[in-house]
Amino acid sequence: MPIIQNRRGFMAGLAAGTVGIVATPRLAFAEPEPETTSVRLGRWVGGAYCWESLYLAGELLRAGGMTDVQYVQGNQKYFDSSEWIAAGETDFDFNMPPMHIRSVEAGVPVKILAGVHSGCWELRANDRVNSIADLKGKRVGVWAMNDHPQVFLQLLINYVGLDPNHDVEWVVGVQENRSLMQNFIDGKVDAFLLDTSQYSEVRNKKVGHTVFSNLIDRPWSQYFCCMLAGRTDYVDKYPVATKRVLRAILQAVEFCVSNPKSAARAVVDRGFLPSYDVALTTLQNTGHDRWREYDAEDSVRFYALRLLETGMIKSSPQEIIVKGTDFHFFEEIKRELKT
């Protein structure tokens, strides 16, 4: 009979440091066998600390009958994983809502399925910058133009009434093969956006000060930062498998909330991430506990409106929602995992 995984068994298996994350199954409800046993999930070699729940989901999926779970590093010429799913290299993508929404706008066959967590970013700046509005006329460091951090910064800047195309100077660190932090330390930029994997380092070194955090600063803190999307053909053709993928990820999110130390140890021991301390810091500084509370459709609507205001898309938020979202799996799993 079909099963879902016992979350307590999953936690116990990880906490005990077992070789595999093998949960103790329990009978839950009649669910058909998955239409396919294969799925391709993305991974960034050496990075993507906020993807920990995605990395932990693999063994739950295997235990639940998805025997061919592949973690794929997409084409490295791309700066953003949204390109992997657009190219058909992965079946699901963790990303910020703006990137998923822009994919929908561009006609990429993708469905936004769920919200995962909030709070991946801080804007650090020098003493000349005390608010986002102070970025006018300043140099802002980014890894690349048009990837998800730079797109997010454009939305922040536009939201306070500045023109992101003319009121700031974008400095691309990768052109000089330099880190954004080093560019900031050397005085080449006035501000830069960092993710949770860098929080401990910048604070220990006292590099700049925090101007903005999407974990605490409204309205951005009220919406999902990372959301899950799937290829439309996979979602439509394999709905049972899709639901199992989503369920496993959300169970892993629950584990990250309840036992962050074991979760951080697991992703490092299994070779997904190199640093336990950074993995733990990431879990401690992101809102993984908010996935039940936040409204996924509202997050899409909020970011679609920001993108429309900034001129990055032409579709209305409702058009994006109708064309590129499917949250019924998410709502079903929320009900299932209440117990």
Side-chain angles (χ1 to χ4, degrees):
M1 183 179 293
I3 59 172
I4 67 171
Q5 301 304 317
N6 184 317
R7 189 176 62 211
R8 293 179 200 165
F10 174 42
M11 294 178 188
L14 277 171
T18 55
V19 173
I21 307 171
V22 181
T24 303
R26 65 178 171 86
L27 301 181
F29 54 86
E31 179 179 275
E33 292 297 323
E35 307 87 350
T36 179
T37 58
S38 298
V39 64
R40 298 168 302 164
L41 306 175
R43 69 175 296 178
W44 287 102
V45 175
Y49 280 86
C50 66
W51 289 17
E52 291 181 60
S53 57
L54 182 73
Y55 297 152
L56 291 173
E59 290 183 58
L60 275 175
L61 285 168
R62 295 183 187 100
M66 300 285 287
T67 56
D68 181 23
V69 180
Q70 303 174 42
Y71 283 93
V72 179
Q73 165 75 56
N75 193 321
Q76 296 187 46
K77 75 178 182 180
Y78 300 130
F79 282 110
D80 198 273
S81 61
S82 61
E83 300 287 352
W84 301 350
I85 198 169
E89 297 175 353
T90 57
D91 299 312
F92 294 89
D93 178 38
F94 260 30
N95 217 317
M96 291 192 70
M99 305 311 287
H100 293 319
I101 292 166
R102 296 209 313 169
S103 292
V104 173
E105 165 86 353
V108 176
V110 63
K111 294 288 185 182
I112 308 171
L113 301 173
V116 182
H117 61 77
S118 64
C120 283
W121 302 104
E122 278 192 11
L123 182 66
R124 301 288 285 195
N126 59 28
D127 292 340
R128 299 173 60 207
V129 179
N130 293 299
S131 68
I132 296 173
D134 289 341
L135 292 176
K136 185 172 183 178
K138 305 300 192 302
R139 300 157 301 168
V140 180
V142 292
W143 276 116
M145 299 298 290
N146 213 37
D147 69 352
H148 64 281
Q150 197 267 339
V151 168
F152 181 53
L153 274 173
Q154 289 188 68
L155 300 184
L156 292 178
I157 291 166
N158 185 77
Y159 192 74
V160 299
L162 301 181
D163 183 343
N165 295 314
H166 299 100
D167 287 337
V168 301
E169 178 185 349
W170 299 103
V171 179
V172 180
V174 74
Q175 289 181 344
E176 301 175 3
N177 197 28
R178 300 168 60 87
S179 73
L180 300 183
M181 188 187 307
Q182 192 59 51
N183 274 349
F184 180 81
I185 293 170
D186 292 344
K188 295 181 180 293
V189 298
D190 299 294
F192 67 106
L193 195 67
L194 70 152
D195 62 40
T196 53
S197 66
Q198 301 169 296
Y199 284 2
S200 295
E201 183 179 6
V202 297
R203 289 167 184 166
N204 290 338
K205 294 181 178 180
K206 298 181 180 179
V207 178
H209 66 279
T210 300
V211 171
F212 164 86
S213 165
N214 73 334
L215 182 66
I216 61 175
D217 288 323
R218 297 187 176 211
W220 310 91
S221 62
Q222 298 173 286
Y223 302 99
F224 284 113
C225 176
C226 279
M227 301 189 77
L228 178 73
R231 286 193 302 113
T232 299
D233 57 350
Y234 191 103
V235 173
D236 290 347
K237 190 175 181 180
Y238 308 130
V240 177
T242 295
K243 187 173 180 180
R244 292 203 179 188
V245 170
L246 182 52
R247 182 190 293 130
I249 291 169
L250 294 175
Q251 286 180 310
V253 170
E254 291 281 85
F255 178 64
C256 289
V257 172
S258 65
N259 201 333
K261 291 182 179 179
S262 292
R265 174 56 59 196
V267 292
V268 172
D269 287 349
R270 286 157 179 78
F272 287 108
L273 298 170
S275 171
Y276 167 78
D277 289 339
V278 174
L280 180 59
T281 298
T282 296
L283 293 179
Q284 292 171 334
N285 287 275
T286 47
H288 279 76
D289 58 335
R290 300 176 184 180
W291 73 269
R292 295 177 186 274
E293 174 187 350
Y294 285 8
D295 188 306
E297 185 173 308
D298 277 352
S299 293
V300 173
R301 184 177 292 107
F302 173 80
Y303 275 101
L305 183 57
R306 305 285 80 78
L307 289 165
L308 183 63
E309 291 171 345
T310 312
M312 295 186 194
I313 63 172
K314 296 180 179 179
S315 302
S316 70
Q318 190 58 32
E319 288 172 329
I320 294 293
I321 290 168
V322 171
K323 181 180 178 182
T325 69
D326 184 348
F327 295 122
H328 85 275
F329 299 108
F330 190 40
E331 296 305 320
E332 288 175 6
I333 294 168
K334 278 185 179 180
R335 292 191 291 270
E336 291 171 14
L337 297 185
K338 281 184 177 180
T339 58

